[in-house]
Structure formats: C-alpha cells, structure tokens
Amino acid sequence: MMHSHVIIGDNSAEFGKICMEILRQAGFTANTTEKDGNQLLAQIDKEMPDVVIMDAYMKSLDAIGVMKQLNHKCRSNRPACIVTSSFENKFMEGEIMKQGVEYYILKPFDLSALVDRVNDLTGYIENDRADVCTVDSELYQDYYNEISNKQIEAFTAKVLRAMPMTVKLKGYHYVKDAILRVAEDQGLANAVTKELYPSIAKKYNTTAGAVEKAIRTAIELTWDCGNIETLNKLFGNDSSNLCAKPSNAKFIAEIAEYVTMMTQRNACRA
C-alpha cells in the first residue's frame, strides 16, 4: 500500500526531525530537507510529494517564492502546501495565501494538529489512503469506531475530495467549515446568509460576501468537472439532472446530512 509522502523544509532537531518522526508514526512517508527554498524545490522535483511543509522564511527563497515557482510549474497538480511561521505578519500571511497555500500555521502549535492537517489534505485516514477519483462502498463504509469531531472533519474532507473538490480552491476550506458547522447545528442551514457566512468570514478574517462567492465558485467547478458517479451517489440524481447545480445552501445541507448519517451509522456498527 502506498503511503502519502510529505517533505518538511526544515531538518533541525528542534522542529523538522520531530515533525518527521511524528508523521512517520502516523503512517506517512516523511523526509526533511534543509531550510532553504531552492533546495526544497529541488527535493520536491525529485520526490514528487503529496504535501510540503515549509517555513515562511527560508534561505535563498522564502515561502512566497517557492509557491510562485510551484504554481508556475504545476499549478494543476502541485503538492498541497502548509506554511508555518514563528512571527505574526499579516502582510506576509496575506501574500502567502494569495499563492493558494492550503494552511498557514503560527508557531508554536500542537504537532498533533499538524498531523490532522496532513490527514485532511491527503485523505489518509487510519492507514488507508483512498483513491479520490473512484467510488465504491469502501470509500464510505470502513470508518469510525466512535464519532469525534476529528473523525467527522476527516470524513468530510474525504467526501469533498471524492467529488473531487480540490483543496487548492480557497472555497474548499469555506465549504468544509460550513458543512461541519451545519452538521453540528442544523439550524444554520436555514441561516446561511445571516449567520453561517459571517461566522466563517470572522474565522478567516474576510467578508461574508467573499465567503459566499468562493463557496459558489468551488461548487460550480466541482459540478462542471467532478466525478458524475460520485455526485449521483451523494445527491441522488441521475446524470441528466446534474446540470441543475444546487445552491450553496442546498449543497452544504445535503453533504452535512450525509456526513452525519454515515458517521452515526458506522459508529453504531462498532
């Protein structure tokens, strides 16, 4: 079985090597390289990882420069990227986020949370990395012995990636957050504009309008380019009806209901 591969752009004993060991214990293939943007790019070209973890500030080339080169070379299939920083710099964070980085995390942080983020980005859960381009019963069945927020979040990410909705879309994170909130409080499905969008916007330091637009774009791209079999399975449509793209609210509510149903069903089977 192929394990998801992670490169950490830091080989220090204080951070990089600790991250590497924790990720390996979680079942990932993980390597480190020097905290140098050019060397990191060379290692990415050589190893073709699924996820890259790098610091905002590196020798030779910072995270912005690395992201620009990755986007230029392989925007459609570049590795998912997590950028960390020891300094709170809103300008730097904003410039990095403009490059489409999946997560920006301030140090210090709980390293178990880093494993969660890598799990989220790769869909690698409990030593099983599913092929997000195919749909079969195993995609939704062999899951949790108990329901937890972490497991529900991971399962939600799994469902979105099975459509597939790419994590590189800004709206992906808003969609996932919205689904988790509605799964926890179904009343939010009827207050998308007044409550849901503003609460997500507050978390990501943006506007409710920007959240709505990004979610709408992510859904449109998924509907136009997604896996028809998966969309049929999730929305109960036949292929002829898939042209009727659901509204943001309907999309979020349907997936939230599905995630809740499936996690509860699997918990009952344990």
Side-chain angles (χ1 to χ4, degrees), residues 2-245:
M2 183 179 293
H3 292 182
S4 297
H5 182 37
V6 184
I7 290 180
I8 305 160
D10 184 333
N11 61 1
S12 68
E14 298 78 17
F15 179 75
K17 292 182 179 178
I18 293 174
C19 285
M20 179 180 70
E21 290 305 317
I22 288 175
L23 287 167
R24 286 179 175 178
Q25 289 172 17
F28 295 97
T29 300
N31 295 323
T32 63
T33 188
E34 190 176 342
K35 195 174 178 179
D36 180 299
N38 285 334
Q39 289 199 25
L40 177 59
L41 282 170
Q43 200 71 9
I44 291 170
D45 286 341
K46 180 181 178 181
E47 298 186 21
M48 300 296 290
D50 300 290
V51 178
V52 174
I53 300 170
M54 66 182 119
D55 196 84
Y57 303 93
M58 297 179 285
K59 289 194 301 182
S60 303
L61 201 63
D62 62 15
I64 296 173
V66 170
M67 290 298 301
K68 284 182 176 179
Q69 291 208 28
L70 288 176
N71 287 331
H72 177 71
K73 290 179 180 179
C74 51
R75 177 177 288 275
S76 63
N77 62 348
R78 69 161 173 79
C81 296
I82 298 173
V83 174
T84 65
S85 178
S86 300
F87 307 97
E88 186 170 5
N89 184 323
K90 291 298 183 183
F91 175 79
M92 184 70 165
E93 179 180 353
E95 291 301 306
I96 289 172
M97 295 304 292
K98 284 179 184 178
Q99 297 303 320
V101 68
E102 278 66 41
Y103 287 108
Y104 184 90
I105 308 175
L106 281 175
K107 298 176 182 176
F109 53 82
D110 186 345
L111 289 178
S112 65
L114 183 65
V115 175
D116 290 345
R117 299 291 76 78
V118 177
N119 272 332
D120 186 358
L121 292 171
T122 62
Y124 182 95
I125 303 168
E126 296 181 357
N127 298 322
D128 174 33
R129 187 188 186 197
D131 180 358
V132 298
C133 296
T134 62
V135 178
D136 55 44
S137 61
E138 291 181 359
L139 181 60
Y140 304 112
Q141 298 303 322
D142 296 330
Y143 282 100
Y144 314 115
N145 292 327
E146 61 180 302
I147 298 177
S148 70
N149 289 336
K150 175 182 174 181
Q151 290 168 328
I152 292 174
E153 181 177 356
F155 184 64
T156 301
K158 190 93 166 179
V159 172
L160 291 176
R161 288 173 64 84
M163 292 181 180
M165 179 180 287
T166 174
V167 297
K168 296 178 179 65
L169 293 171
K170 181 185 294 185
Y172 167 89
H173 304 290
Y174 299 160
V175 170
K176 182 164 72 69
D177 205 325
I179 291 168
L180 292 173
R181 290 171 190 245
V182 171
E184 184 175 352
D185 181 0
Q186 294 182 2
L188 288 174
N190 298 315
V192 170
T193 302
K194 290 184 178 180
E195 297 183 38
L196 187 61
Y197 293 157
S199 65
I200 295 173
K202 183 177 180 180
K203 175 180 176 180
Y204 290 94
N205 193 28
T206 186
T207 66
V211 169
E212 186 279 332
K213 182 178 179 181
I215 289 177
R216 174 161 38 87
T217 299
I219 293 172
E220 287 176 350
L221 289 173
T222 300
W223 215 251
D224 291 341
C225 307
N227 186 300
I228 291 177
E229 186 180 358
T230 307
L231 296 175
N232 284 341
K233 183 180 183 69
L234 293 171
F235 290 90
N237 293 325
D238 58 41
S239 299
S240 63
N241 288 331
L242 282 179
C243 59
K245 177 184 70 67

